[in-house]
Amino acid sequence: MSNEAVIPDPIRAGLARGWKVIDGAQVDADRDLSADVVIVGSGAGGGVTAEILALSGLSVIVVEEGALKSSRDFKMREAEAYPALYQESAARKTRDKAINILQGRTVGGSTTVNWTSSFRTPPTTLAFWQQRFGLSTYGEADLAPWFELMEARLHVADWAGAPNENNDLLRRGAAKLGIPTGLIRRNVNGCWNLGYCGMGCPTNAKQSMLVTTIPSALDHGATLVTRARAERLVLNGDKADGIDCTLLDAAGLHPTGRRLRIRARHVVLAGGAINTPALLLRSKAPDPGGQLGKRTFLHPTLVSAALFPQRVDGYAGAPQTVYSDHFLHTQPIDGPLGFKLEAPPLHPVLLATTMQGFGEEHAAMMRQFPHIQGMLALLRDGFHAESQGGTVGLTNDGAPVLDYPLNDPVWDGARRALLTMAEIQFAAGATGVQVAHERAPRYASWTEAQKGIAALPFEPQLTRVVSAHVMGGCAMAGAGHDGVTGPDGRYRGLANVSVHDGSLFPTSIGANPQLSIYGITARLASDLAQALTGRPAARPQA
Amino acid sequence: METTRRRFLKTGLLAAALLAAGGGWYRHTHPAPAHGFALDGEARAALDAIVPAILAGTLPDAPADRTHALAATTDRVHQAILGLPLSAQQEVQDLFGLLAIGPARRLLTGLPDGWAGAREADVAAFLQAWRVHRLALLRTAYAALHDLVLGGWYSDPAHWDAIGYPGPIKELA
C-alpha cells in the first residue's frame, strides 16, 4: 500500500494549489529571479525566516540544495533516507574524518530528519554569551517570548507517551545512581510513536519546517527553488546584489551546467553552520578580524551500547524522550567539559556503522540487536579556554570542510562520558557494555569497564565520535567584541546580509539546538521584517 | 586485542610516502570517470576480497547463497559510493586504485599475491592492523570500508530477520 492512501501529503496538496516551486534539476536554461529577500537554506533558520517575512508582506525566494521530499517519499528505510535527505549521504566528516556529522540536506533541512528533541537555550549558556560576547539582549527573559511563540507555532509540548525501553533504561539506570533525569519535550502533533523521525516523518506529525513554516510561506506567495546550491554572494561594495546558484541534477551531485542568479534587497544566509561560513568564504566577504568560519562547534558525541536480557527494541517509539543534564552542572561551565546524556534511536545501519569492529565480533553484536540499548553523551564545546571548536575552510573545488581538532580537554570529557554511560547502563541491569572505541572489548561488569575505559587510548578514529549538531562559524557578538555578526544577525561589513541559523551561536548550545534556532531567528526575522517594511512583523501561528 | 606487528606495517613513513606517490600516480594514469566511482580489474578484486572478511559471521554457508549475498552487497556498496559527493568518490577511487598496484598492496596489506587468491584470514589481519594503525590514513581507510560494507549489508531488508529487526510498519513503508 502506498502510504499516501493512509496519510494525506501536504506538499502534493500545496503544489496542486499552485505553490511556486522550481526544481533546479529540471531547469533547462540559465535564469534570473528577483525578490525582496532571498533566503539560502530551508531548515530551522530559513524556514522560520521565510514564514515571518512572507506573512509580513515581503516577496521571498528560498533556495535549497536538497530536494523537495515529503511523507509519501518517507519509507523509513535507511538505504533511501540517508542519501536522499542528508548532507553527503549522512557521512559528512570532519577534515581528519574523526567525527561523523549528521546534517540534513532536503527541504526543511535538519528539521526534516531530526529526532524532535526541543530544549530552550540553557540559561547558563545565555549567561555566558552575555558575559563573554557582549550579547546583552540575549537574556533568558528577553528570549522567553520568542521561545513561547515558536513552541506554540510548532506544537512543542511535553510528550504524553511513556518513554520507550531504550530511553527508560537511561532513566532507571541514572535513578539507581541518584542522577536526576528529565523528560524531553517534542515538536509533534498527532505522533504515531513509530520511531523513524530520522528518516523523515511518514505521518507528517513532526512539526518540521517541511510541514509548517515552508508551506505557510509558500501559501503566502514565497518561491522555493530546490536543487540549487548557493555558490556566492554577488558583492557590490558593502552590499550584496544577490546570489549566484549552481543548479544540481536530480541526485544532487553533479551540476547541470545551468546557473541561477537571484537579485534581492536583502540576503539571509541560513544554510546551517559549515555551509553558511563556507558560502561567505567563497564570496570573499569582508572579514577583517579573520573570525569567519572560526569557532564552529559540534557537540562531540560519545556512544555506548549495552546488552540487556530483556528486549529493548531501540528502533521502536519516540526516539528521544529522556535526558540528563546532571553532568553539565557538576563543574564550572568553563571548567572540564560537561555533557548531556540522551538515548539515540537504533536502526540497523546507524548501529552497525557507529559500532566498531568487523567479522564475527561485529556479527555477534548485531545478532543481539533487539536487546541493545544505546546511550549518547554530548560534550558541551566552546566554553573551556582550550575547547574552541573547529574551523570551516574550503577545498580546492570550493566545498566546505570542517577542521575539528580533538584535544586533551575534549578527550578528558570523552573518557568521563564513557565511564558515566557504562556505569548507568550496568546500574540499569546491562549484562555487557560496549563503548564505541576501536580498542574497547565488551565489558562484563562495571568494575571491568571502569578499569578498561580508564586505560583506553583516546585518539582520533580510535575513539568513535559523532555529532548531529552544528553551530557557530559566524559568531555574533555585541559592540566591542569579536564576532562576524552582530546581535541582530547582520553580517558586519555587508549592509544587507544577515545570518539566521545556528552558525550565529558563539559557543555550542549544550542542548539539541533546534529550538534555540527557532526562537532566536524568529526574533531576528521579525526585526528584519520591520526594518524592511516599516511595519511591525506578522506573528506566525500554528 | 593487540595485533601481531607485521613487518609490512612497520615501514610507516615509507608507506605514507608510497600512498601519496601511488595515489598521485594512479590518479594521473586513471582519470576519474565522468560519472563517478567505477571499479575494474584488481581494484574490483580488492573489494571482492575485503567484503567477505568484513561480513564474516553474517554470510550464509551454502556456496550459491553466499555468492549471491556477496554480489548483492558489493552492488549496494557500489551504490552507496555513487551517492557520495564527487570528492569523496574520488577518495574511495584512489584507495582502491592504490590497492590495485602490486607493490602498494604488498606494502600496505602484506598480501603477497593478487587479490583473487587472498585468504580471508589474511585480509582480516590487515584490516585489523589498519583499524588501529598509527598512520591515520590507514585508520580512516579502514573506517571507510567498515562503514560502506556493514552499511551495505544491514541496509538490505533481506538481512533484517537474522538480527531480529522487524523493519518499519508495513502499512506505511
Side-chain angles (χ1 to χ4, degrees), chain A residues 77 89 97 196 253 355 357 359 367 370 438 461, chain B residues 54 56-57 82-83 91 131 139 146 157 163 165:
Chain A
R77 286 173 189 257
S89 291
K97 299 183 169 55
Y196 289 80
L253 295 175
M355 297 309 292
R367 280 194 291 273
E438 299 293 351
Q461 298 107 20
Chain B
I54 292 178
L82 287 173
E91 285 182 347
R131 181 181 169 191
R139 295 201 300 273
H146 170 277
I163 59 168
Y165 173 59

mmCIF file with all atom_site columns, all heavy atoms in Angstrom, chain A residues 77 89 97 196 253 355 357 359 367 370 438 461, chain B residues 54 56-57 82-83 91 131 139 146 157 163 165:
data_model
loop_
_atom_site.group_PDB
_atom_site.id
_atom_site.type_symbol
_atom_site.label_atom_id
_atom_site.label_alt_id
_atom_site.label_comp_id
_atom_site.label_asym_id
_atom_site.label_entity_id
_atom_site.label_seq_id
_atom_site.pdbx_PDB_ins_code
_atom_site.Cartn_x
_atom_site.Cartn_y
_atom_site.Cartn_z
_atom_site.occupancy
_atom_site.B_iso_or_equiv
_atom_site.pdbx_formal_charge
_atom_site.auth_seq_id
_atom_site.auth_comp_id
_atom_site.auth_asym_id
_atom_site.auth_atom_id
_atom_site.pdbx_PDB_model_num
ATOM 1   N N   . ARG A 1 77  ? 13.318 3.738   5.467  1.00 0.00 ? 77  ARG A N   1
ATOM 2   C CA  . ARG A 1 77  ? 14.425 2.842   5.119  1.00 0.00 ? 77  ARG A CA  1
ATOM 3   C C   . ARG A 1 77  ? 15.714 3.644   5.054  1.00 0.00 ? 77  ARG A C   1
ATOM 4   O O   . ARG A 1 77  ? 15.814 4.619   4.307  1.00 0.00 ? 77  ARG A O   1
ATOM 5   C CB  . ARG A 1 77  ? 14.163 2.163   3.777  1.00 0.00 ? 77  ARG A CB  1
ATOM 6   C CG  . ARG A 1 77  ? 13.096 1.091   3.892  1.00 0.00 ? 77  ARG A CG  1
ATOM 7   C CD  . ARG A 1 77  ? 12.716 0.542   2.538  1.00 0.00 ? 77  ARG A CD  1
ATOM 8   N NE  . ARG A 1 77  ? 11.547 -0.319  2.690  1.00 0.00 ? 77  ARG A NE  1
ATOM 9   C CZ  . ARG A 1 77  ? 11.604 -1.654  2.691  1.00 0.00 ? 77  ARG A CZ  1
ATOM 10  N NH1 . ARG A 1 77  ? 12.744 -2.265  2.501  1.00 0.00 ? 77  ARG A NH1 1
ATOM 11  N NH2 . ARG A 1 77  ? 10.511 -2.371  2.856  1.00 0.00 ? 77  ARG A NH2 1
ATOM 12  N N   . SER A 1 89  ? 25.237 11.917  2.161  1.00 0.00 ? 89  SER A N   1
ATOM 13  C CA  . SER A 1 89  ? 24.695 10.587  2.480  1.00 0.00 ? 89  SER A CA  1
ATOM 14  C C   . SER A 1 89  ? 24.843 10.237  3.960  1.00 0.00 ? 89  SER A C   1
ATOM 15  O O   . SER A 1 89  ? 25.046 9.082   4.324  1.00 0.00 ? 89  SER A O   1
ATOM 16  C CB  . SER A 1 89  ? 25.389 9.496   1.649  1.00 0.00 ? 89  SER A CB  1
ATOM 17  O OG  . SER A 1 89  ? 25.030 9.601   0.300  1.00 0.00 ? 89  SER A OG  1
ATOM 18  N N   . LYS A 1 97  ? 38.457 13.104  9.438  1.00 0.00 ? 97  LYS A N   1
ATOM 19  C CA  . LYS A 1 97  ? 37.481 12.005  9.421  1.00 0.00 ? 97  LYS A CA  1
ATOM 20  C C   . LYS A 1 97  ? 37.268 11.382  10.801 1.00 0.00 ? 97  LYS A C   1
ATOM 21  O O   . LYS A 1 97  ? 36.804 10.256  10.921 1.00 0.00 ? 97  LYS A O   1
ATOM 22  C CB  . LYS A 1 97  ? 37.880 10.936  8.402  1.00 0.00 ? 97  LYS A CB  1
ATOM 23  C CG  . LYS A 1 97  ? 37.947 11.479  6.973  1.00 0.00 ? 97  LYS A CG  1
ATOM 24  C CD  . LYS A 1 97  ? 38.265 10.397  5.967  1.00 0.00 ? 97  LYS A CD  1
ATOM 25  C CE  . LYS A 1 97  ? 38.076 10.858  4.527  1.00 0.00 ? 97  LYS A CE  1
ATOM 26  N NZ  . LYS A 1 97  ? 38.823 12.067  4.156  1.00 0.00 ? 97  LYS A NZ  1
ATOM 27  N N   . TYR A 1 196 ? 10.783 6.622   13.610 1.00 0.00 ? 196 TYR A N   1
ATOM 28  C CA  . TYR A 1 196 ? 11.557 6.805   12.382 1.00 0.00 ? 196 TYR A CA  1
ATOM 29  C C   . TYR A 1 196 ? 11.764 8.275   12.028 1.00 0.00 ? 196 TYR A C   1
ATOM 30  O O   . TYR A 1 196 ? 11.960 8.612   10.859 1.00 0.00 ? 196 TYR A O   1
ATOM 31  C CB  . TYR A 1 196 ? 10.884 6.037   11.238 1.00 0.00 ? 196 TYR A CB  1
ATOM 32  C CG  . TYR A 1 196 ? 11.044 4.538   11.403 1.00 0.00 ? 196 TYR A CG  1
ATOM 33  C CD1 . TYR A 1 196 ? 10.222 3.828   12.269 1.00 0.00 ? 196 TYR A CD1 1
ATOM 34  C CD2 . TYR A 1 196 ? 12.059 3.855   10.746 1.00 0.00 ? 196 TYR A CD2 1
ATOM 35  C CE1 . TYR A 1 196 ? 10.390 2.465   12.463 1.00 0.00 ? 196 TYR A CE1 1
ATOM 36  C CE2 . TYR A 1 196 ? 12.233 2.498   10.929 1.00 0.00 ? 196 TYR A CE2 1
ATOM 37  C CZ  . TYR A 1 196 ? 11.396 1.807   11.785 1.00 0.00 ? 196 TYR A CZ  1
ATOM 38  O OH  . TYR A 1 196 ? 11.587 0.460   11.967 1.00 0.00 ? 196 TYR A OH  1
ATOM 39  N N   . LEU A 1 253 ? 24.221 15.648  -7.020 1.00 0.00 ? 253 LEU A N   1
ATOM 40  C CA  . LEU A 1 253 ? 25.679 15.505  -7.005 1.00 0.00 ? 253 LEU A CA  1
ATOM 41  C C   . LEU A 1 253 ? 26.356 16.324  -8.093 1.00 0.00 ? 253 LEU A C   1
ATOM 42  O O   . LEU A 1 253 ? 27.350 16.991  -7.847 1.00 0.00 ? 253 LEU A O   1
ATOM 43  C CB  . LEU A 1 253 ? 26.062 14.034  -7.180 1.00 0.00 ? 253 LEU A CB  1
ATOM 44  C CG  . LEU A 1 253 ? 25.644 13.109  -6.041 1.00 0.00 ? 253 LEU A CG  1
ATOM 45  C CD1 . LEU A 1 253 ? 25.968 11.665  -6.396 1.00 0.00 ? 253 LEU A CD1 1
ATOM 46  C CD2 . LEU A 1 253 ? 26.340 13.503  -4.752 1.00 0.00 ? 253 LEU A CD2 1
ATOM 47  N N   . MET A 1 355 ? 29.079 1.365   15.585 1.00 0.00 ? 355 MET A N   1
ATOM 48  C CA  . MET A 1 355 ? 29.842 0.499   16.478 1.00 0.00 ? 355 MET A CA  1
ATOM 49  C C   . MET A 1 355 ? 31.029 -0.120  15.747 1.00 0.00 ? 355 MET A C   1
ATOM 50  O O   . MET A 1 355 ? 30.963 -0.438  14.568 1.00 0.00 ? 355 MET A O   1
ATOM 51  C CB  . MET A 1 355 ? 28.941 -0.573  17.078 1.00 0.00 ? 355 MET A CB  1
ATOM 52  C CG  . MET A 1 355 ? 27.830 -0.004  17.962 1.00 0.00 ? 355 MET A CG  1
ATOM 53  S SD  . MET A 1 355 ? 28.404 1.166   19.245 1.00 0.00 ? 355 MET A SD  1
ATOM 54  C CE  . MET A 1 355 ? 29.328 0.050   20.316 1.00 0.00 ? 355 MET A CE  1
ATOM 55  N N   . GLY A 1 357 ? 34.457 -2.585  14.919 1.00 0.00 ? 357 GLY A N   1
ATOM 56  C CA  . GLY A 1 357 ? 34.751 -3.989  14.690 1.00 0.00 ? 357 GLY A CA  1
ATOM 57  C C   . GLY A 1 357 ? 34.153 -4.505  13.402 1.00 0.00 ? 357 GLY A C   1
ATOM 58  O O   . GLY A 1 357 ? 33.404 -3.809  12.713 1.00 0.00 ? 357 GLY A O   1
ATOM 59  N N   . GLY A 1 359 ? 33.615 -8.585  11.052 1.00 0.00 ? 359 GLY A N   1
ATOM 60  C CA  . GLY A 1 359 ? 33.684 -10.038 11.137 1.00 0.00 ? 359 GLY A CA  1
ATOM 61  C C   . GLY A 1 359 ? 32.817 -10.580 12.253 1.00 0.00 ? 359 GLY A C   1
ATOM 62  O O   . GLY A 1 359 ? 31.815 -9.971  12.642 1.00 0.00 ? 359 GLY A O   1
ATOM 63  N N   . ARG A 1 367 ? 23.585 -9.642  16.121 1.00 0.00 ? 367 ARG A N   1
ATOM 64  C CA  . ARG A 1 367 ? 22.565 -10.668 16.381 1.00 0.00 ? 367 ARG A CA  1
ATOM 65  C C   . ARG A 1 367 ? 21.768 -10.357 17.648 1.00 0.00 ? 367 ARG A C   1
ATOM 66  O O   . ARG A 1 367 ? 20.682 -10.863 17.856 1.00 0.00 ? 367 ARG A O   1
ATOM 67  C CB  . ARG A 1 367 ? 23.219 -12.059 16.473 1.00 0.00 ? 367 ARG A CB  1
ATOM 68  C CG  . ARG A 1 367 ? 23.514 -12.681 15.105 1.00 0.00 ? 367 ARG A CG  1
ATOM 69  C CD  . ARG A 1 367 ? 23.828 -14.171 15.205 1.00 0.00 ? 367 ARG A CD  1
ATOM 70  N NE  . ARG A 1 367 ? 25.108 -14.428 15.854 1.00 0.00 ? 367 ARG A NE  1
ATOM 71  C CZ  . ARG A 1 367 ? 26.301 -14.471 15.222 1.00 0.00 ? 367 ARG A CZ  1
ATOM 72  N NH1 . ARG A 1 367 ? 26.361 -14.281 13.916 1.00 0.00 ? 367 ARG A NH1 1
ATOM 73  N NH2 . ARG A 1 367 ? 27.399 -14.709 15.886 1.00 0.00 ? 367 ARG A NH2 1
ATOM 74  N N   . PRO A 1 370 ? 17.909 -6.542  19.047 1.00 0.00 ? 370 PRO A N   1
ATOM 75  C CA  . PRO A 1 370 ? 16.736 -6.103  19.824 1.00 0.00 ? 370 PRO A CA  1
ATOM 76  C C   . PRO A 1 370 ? 17.032 -5.926  21.313 1.00 0.00 ? 370 PRO A C   1
ATOM 77  O O   . PRO A 1 370 ? 16.229 -5.331  22.030 1.00 0.00 ? 370 PRO A O   1
ATOM 78  C CB  . PRO A 1 370 ? 15.718 -7.235  19.621 1.00 0.00 ? 370 PRO A CB  1
ATOM 79  C CG  . PRO A 1 370 ? 16.210 -8.006  18.444 1.00 0.00 ? 370 PRO A CG  1
ATOM 80  C CD  . PRO A 1 370 ? 17.703 -7.869  18.449 1.00 0.00 ? 370 PRO A CD  1
ATOM 81  N N   . GLU A 1 438 ? 37.629 1.697   19.098 1.00 0.00 ? 438 GLU A N   1
ATOM 82  C CA  . GLU A 1 438 ? 38.215 0.559   18.379 1.00 0.00 ? 438 GLU A CA  1
ATOM 83  C C   . GLU A 1 438 ? 38.967 -0.401  19.289 1.00 0.00 ? 438 GLU A C   1
ATOM 84  O O   . GLU A 1 438 ? 39.177 -1.557  18.954 1.00 0.00 ? 438 GLU A O   1
ATOM 85  C CB  . GLU A 1 438 ? 39.147 1.050   17.260 1.00 0.00 ? 438 GLU A CB  1
ATOM 86  C CG  . GLU A 1 438 ? 38.466 1.890   16.186 1.00 0.00 ? 438 GLU A CG  1
ATOM 87  C CD  . GLU A 1 438 ? 37.456 1.118   15.343 1.00 0.00 ? 438 GLU A CD  1
ATOM 88  O OE1 . GLU A 1 438 ? 37.389 -0.124  15.466 1.00 0.00 ? 438 GLU A OE1 1
ATOM 89  O OE2 . GLU A 1 438 ? 36.722 1.766   14.576 1.00 0.00 ? 438 GLU A OE2 1
ATOM 90  N N   . GLN A 1 461 ? 39.849 8.726   15.440 1.00 0.00 ? 461 GLN A N   1
ATOM 91  C CA  . GLN A 1 461 ? 39.478 7.482   14.755 1.00 0.00 ? 461 GLN A CA  1
ATOM 92  C C   . GLN A 1 461 ? 39.459 6.255   15.661 1.00 0.00 ? 461 GLN A C   1
ATOM 93  O O   . GLN A 1 461 ? 38.752 5.306   15.371 1.00 0.00 ? 461 GLN A O   1
ATOM 94  C CB  . GLN A 1 461 ? 40.344 7.178   13.519 1.00 0.00 ? 461 GLN A CB  1
ATOM 95  C CG  . GLN A 1 461 ? 40.255 8.203   12.417 1.00 0.00 ? 461 GLN A CG  1
ATOM 96  C CD  . GLN A 1 461 ? 41.495 9.047   12.336 1.00 0.00 ? 461 GLN A CD  1
ATOM 97  O OE1 . GLN A 1 461 ? 42.538 8.655   12.836 1.00 0.00 ? 461 GLN A OE1 1
ATOM 98  N NE2 . GLN A 1 461 ? 41.387 10.207  11.718 1.00 0.00 ? 461 GLN A NE2 1
ATOM 99  N N   . ILE B 2 54  ? 34.940 -8.633  6.071  1.00 0.00 ? 54  ILE B N   1
ATOM 100 C CA  . ILE B 2 54  ? 34.196 -7.761  6.988  1.00 0.00 ? 54  ILE B CA  1
ATOM 101 C C   . ILE B 2 54  ? 32.885 -8.414  7.401  1.00 0.00 ? 54  ILE B C   1
ATOM 102 O O   . ILE B 2 54  ? 32.431 -8.264  8.537  1.00 0.00 ? 54  ILE B O   1
ATOM 103 C CB  . ILE B 2 54  ? 33.967 -6.381  6.332  1.00 0.00 ? 54  ILE B CB  1
ATOM 104 C CG1 . ILE B 2 54  ? 35.311 -5.654  6.199  1.00 0.00 ? 54  ILE B CG1 1
ATOM 105 C CG2 . ILE B 2 54  ? 32.980 -5.537  7.144  1.00 0.00 ? 54  ILE B CG2 1
ATOM 106 C CD1 . ILE B 2 54  ? 35.247 -4.306  5.530  1.00 0.00 ? 54  ILE B CD1 1
ATOM 107 N N   . ALA B 2 56  ? 32.259 -11.636 7.680  1.00 0.00 ? 56  ALA B N   1
ATOM 108 C CA  . ALA B 2 56  ? 32.372 -12.969 8.287  1.00 0.00 ? 56  ALA B CA  1
ATOM 109 C C   . ALA B 2 56  ? 31.440 -13.051 9.491  1.00 0.00 ? 56  ALA B C   1
ATOM 110 O O   . ALA B 2 56  ? 31.349 -12.122 10.282 1.00 0.00 ? 56  ALA B O   1
ATOM 111 C CB  . ALA B 2 56  ? 33.817 -13.214 8.721  1.00 0.00 ? 56  ALA B CB  1
ATOM 112 N N   . GLY B 2 57  ? 30.729 -14.150 9.608  1.00 0.00 ? 57  GLY B N   1
ATOM 113 C CA  . GLY B 2 57  ? 29.793 -14.291 10.720 1.00 0.00 ? 57  GLY B CA  1
ATOM 114 C C   . GLY B 2 57  ? 28.368 -13.963 10.328 1.00 0.00 ? 57  GLY B C   1
ATOM 115 O O   . GLY B 2 57  ? 27.428 -14.264 11.064 1.00 0.00 ? 57  GLY B O   1
ATOM 116 N N   . LEU B 2 82  ? 28.380 5.732   -5.002 1.00 0.00 ? 82  LEU B N   1
ATOM 117 C CA  . LEU B 2 82  ? 27.898 6.638   -6.050 1.00 0.00 ? 82  LEU B CA  1
ATOM 118 C C   . LEU B 2 82  ? 26.994 7.740   -5.497 1.00 0.00 ? 82  LEU B C   1
ATOM 119 O O   . LEU B 2 82  ? 26.725 8.720   -6.192 1.00 0.00 ? 82  LEU B O   1
ATOM 120 C CB  . LEU B 2 82  ? 27.153 5.847   -7.131 1.00 0.00 ? 82  LEU B CB  1
ATOM 121 C CG  . LEU B 2 82  ? 28.052 4.996   -8.038 1.00 0.00 ? 82  LEU B CG  1
ATOM 122 C CD1 . LEU B 2 82  ? 27.211 4.119   -8.962 1.00 0.00 ? 82  LEU B CD1 1
ATOM 123 C CD2 . LEU B 2 82  ? 28.988 5.876   -8.855 1.00 0.00 ? 82  LEU B CD2 1
ATOM 124 N N   . GLY B 2 83  ? 26.532 7.573   -4.259 1.00 0.00 ? 83  GLY B N   1
ATOM 125 C CA  . GLY B 2 83  ? 25.719 8.623   -3.640 1.00 0.00 ? 83  GLY B CA  1
ATOM 126 C C   . GLY B 2 83  ? 26.546 9.638   -2.868 1.00 0.00 ? 83  GLY B C   1
ATOM 127 O O   . GLY B 2 83  ? 26.015 10.629  -2.378 1.00 0.00 ? 83  GLY B O   1
ATOM 128 N N   . GLU B 2 91  ? 38.145 9.921   -3.427 1.00 0.00 ? 91  GLU B N   1
ATOM 129 C CA  . GLU B 2 91  ? 38.999 9.366   -2.367 1.00 0.00 ? 91  GLU B CA  1
ATOM 130 C C   . GLU B 2 91  ? 38.893 7.843   -2.324 1.00 0.00 ? 91  GLU B C   1
ATOM 131 O O   . GLU B 2 91  ? 39.903 7.146   -2.171 1.00 0.00 ? 91  GLU B O   1
ATOM 132 C CB  . GLU B 2 91  ? 38.608 9.950   -1.005 1.00 0.00 ? 91  GLU B CB  1
ATOM 133 C CG  . GLU B 2 91  ? 39.063 11.375  -0.803 1.00 0.00 ? 91  GLU B CG  1
ATOM 134 C CD  . GLU B 2 91  ? 38.702 11.902  0.583  1.00 0.00 ? 91  GLU B CD  1
ATOM 135 O OE1 . GLU B 2 91  ? 37.888 11.265  1.296  1.00 0.00 ? 91  GLU B OE1 1
ATOM 136 O OE2 . GLU B 2 91  ? 39.242 12.950  0.949  1.00 0.00 ? 91  GLU B OE2 1
ATOM 137 N N   . ARG B 2 131 ? 42.966 -0.909  11.319 1.00 0.00 ? 131 ARG B N   1
ATOM 138 C CA  . ARG B 2 131 ? 41.982 -0.388  12.259 1.00 0.00 ? 131 ARG B CA  1
ATOM 139 C C   . ARG B 2 131 ? 42.636 0.390   13.397 1.00 0.00 ? 131 ARG B C   1
ATOM 140 O O   . ARG B 2 131 ? 42.106 1.416   13.846 1.00 0.00 ? 131 ARG B O   1
ATOM 141 C CB  . ARG B 2 131 ? 41.194 -1.591  12.805 1.00 0.00 ? 131 ARG B CB  1
ATOM 142 C CG  . ARG B 2 131 ? 40.109 -1.297  13.765 1.00 0.00 ? 131 ARG B CG  1
ATOM 143 C CD  . ARG B 2 131 ? 39.464 -2.608  14.225 1.00 0.00 ? 131 ARG B CD  1
ATOM 144 N NE  . ARG B 2 131 ? 38.593 -2.376  15.345 1.00 0.00 ? 131 ARG B NE  1
ATOM 145 C CZ  . ARG B 2 131 ? 38.061 -3.322  16.097 1.00 0.00 ? 131 ARG B CZ  1
ATOM 146 N NH1 . ARG B 2 131 ? 38.307 -4.598  15.828 1.00 0.00 ? 131 ARG B NH1 1
ATOM 147 N NH2 . ARG B 2 131 ? 37.284 -3.015  17.106 1.00 0.00 ? 131 ARG B NH2 1
ATOM 148 N N   . ARG B 2 139 ? 43.910 4.171   9.266  1.00 0.00 ? 139 ARG B N   1
ATOM 149 C CA  . ARG B 2 139 ? 42.730 4.058   10.140 1.00 0.00 ? 139 ARG B CA  1
ATOM 150 C C   . ARG B 2 139 ? 41.480 4.568   9.421  1.00 0.00 ? 139 ARG B C   1
ATOM 151 O O   . ARG B 2 139 ? 40.408 3.974   9.503  1.00 0.00 ? 139 ARG B O   1
ATOM 152 C CB  . ARG B 2 139 ? 42.938 4.849   11.437 1.00 0.00 ? 139 ARG B CB  1
ATOM 153 C CG  . ARG B 2 139 ? 44.061 4.308   12.323 1.00 0.00 ? 139 ARG B CG  1
ATOM 154 C CD  . ARG B 2 139 ? 43.904 4.760   13.788 1.00 0.00 ? 139 ARG B CD  1
ATOM 155 N NE  . ARG B 2 139 ? 43.909 6.199   13.987 1.00 0.00 ? 139 ARG B NE  1
ATOM 156 C CZ  . ARG B 2 139 ? 45.005 6.934   14.167 1.00 0.00 ? 139 ARG B CZ  1
ATOM 157 N NH1 . ARG B 2 139 ? 46.206 6.357   14.140 1.00 0.00 ? 139 ARG B NH1 1
ATOM 158 N NH2 . ARG B 2 139 ? 44.924 8.228   14.375 1.00 0.00 ? 139 ARG B NH2 1
ATOM 159 N N   . HIS B 2 146 ? 34.740 -0.215  6.642  1.00 0.00 ? 146 HIS B N   1
ATOM 160 C CA  . HIS B 2 146 ? 33.823 -0.674  7.699  1.00 0.00 ? 146 HIS B CA  1
ATOM 161 C C   . HIS B 2 146 ? 32.411 -0.132  7.457  1.00 0.00 ? 146 HIS B C   1
ATOM 162 O O   . HIS B 2 146 ? 31.428 -0.877  7.413  1.00 0.00 ? 146 HIS B O   1
ATOM 163 C CB  . HIS B 2 146 ? 34.384 -0.185  9.046  1.00 0.00 ? 146 HIS B CB  1
ATOM 164 C CG  . HIS B 2 146 ? 33.475 -0.349  10.231 1.00 0.00 ? 146 HIS B CG  1
ATOM 165 N ND1 . HIS B 2 146 ? 32.482 0.564   10.526 1.00 0.00 ? 146 HIS B ND1 1
ATOM 166 C CD2 . HIS B 2 146 ? 33.422 -1.291  11.201 1.00 0.00 ? 146 HIS B CD2 1
ATOM 167 C CE1 . HIS B 2 146 ? 31.854 0.169   11.624 1.00 0.00 ? 146 HIS B CE1 1
ATOM 168 N NE2 . HIS B 2 146 ? 32.403 -0.950  12.058 1.00 0.00 ? 146 HIS B NE2 1
ATOM 169 N N   . PRO B 2 157 ? 16.940 -5.239  3.465  1.00 0.00 ? 157 PRO B N   1
ATOM 170 C CA  . PRO B 2 157 ? 15.885 -5.901  4.263  1.00 0.00 ? 157 PRO B CA  1
ATOM 171 C C   . PRO B 2 157 ? 16.064 -7.422  4.328  1.00 0.00 ? 157 PRO B C   1
ATOM 172 O O   . PRO B 2 157 ? 15.591 -8.047  5.280  1.00 0.00 ? 157 PRO B O   1
ATOM 173 C CB  . PRO B 2 157 ? 14.596 -5.538  3.516  1.00 0.00 ? 157 PRO B CB  1
ATOM 174 C CG  . PRO B 2 157 ? 14.916 -4.272  2.793  1.00 0.00 ? 157 PRO B CG  1
ATOM 175 C CD  . PRO B 2 157 ? 16.378 -4.356  2.436  1.00 0.00 ? 157 PRO B CD  1
ATOM 176 N N   . ILE B 2 163 ? 18.828 -10.474 12.505 1.00 0.00 ? 163 ILE B N   1
ATOM 177 C CA  . ILE B 2 163 ? 19.155 -9.688  13.703 1.00 0.00 ? 163 ILE B CA  1
ATOM 178 C C   . ILE B 2 163 ? 17.893 -9.342  14.491 1.00 0.00 ? 163 ILE B C   1
ATOM 179 O O   . ILE B 2 163 ? 17.928 -8.507  15.403 1.00 0.00 ? 163 ILE B O   1
ATOM 180 C CB  . ILE B 2 163 ? 19.944 -8.405  13.350 1.00 0.00 ? 163 ILE B CB  1
ATOM 181 C CG1 . ILE B 2 163 ? 19.152 -7.491  12.392 1.00 0.00 ? 163 ILE B CG1 1
ATOM 182 C CG2 . ILE B 2 163 ? 21.303 -8.763  12.748 1.00 0.00 ? 163 ILE B CG2 1
ATOM 183 C CD1 . ILE B 2 163 ? 19.751 -6.100  12.243 1.00 0.00 ? 163 ILE B CD1 1
ATOM 184 N N   . TYR B 2 165 ? 15.217 -7.728  13.585 1.00 0.00 ? 165 TYR B N   1
ATOM 185 C CA  . TYR B 2 165 ? 14.645 -6.407  13.300 1.00 0.00 ? 165 TYR B CA  1
ATOM 186 C C   . TYR B 2 165 ? 13.430 -6.577  12.401 1.00 0.00 ? 165 TYR B C   1
ATOM 187 O O   . TYR B 2 165 ? 13.565 -7.089  11.284 1.00 0.00 ? 165 TYR B O   1
ATOM 188 C CB  . TYR B 2 165 ? 15.698 -5.524  12.632 1.00 0.00 ? 165 TYR B CB  1
ATOM 189 C CG  . TYR B 2 165 ? 15.198 -4.179  12.139 1.00 0.00 ? 165 TYR B CG  1
ATOM 190 C CD1 . TYR B 2 165 ? 14.624 -3.263  13.018 1.00 0.00 ? 165 TYR B CD1 1
ATOM 191 C CD2 . TYR B 2 165 ? 15.318 -3.817  10.797 1.00 0.00 ? 165 TYR B CD2 1
ATOM 192 C CE1 . TYR B 2 165 ? 14.185 -2.027  12.569 1.00 0.00 ? 165 TYR B CE1 1
ATOM 193 C CE2 . TYR B 2 165 ? 14.883 -2.579  10.346 1.00 0.00 ? 165 TYR B CE2 1
ATOM 194 C CZ  . TYR B 2 165 ? 14.313 -1.681  11.231 1.00 0.00 ? 165 TYR B CZ  1
ATOM 195 O OH  . TYR B 2 165 ? 13.877 -0.464  10.783 1.00 0.00 ? 165 TYR B OH  1
#
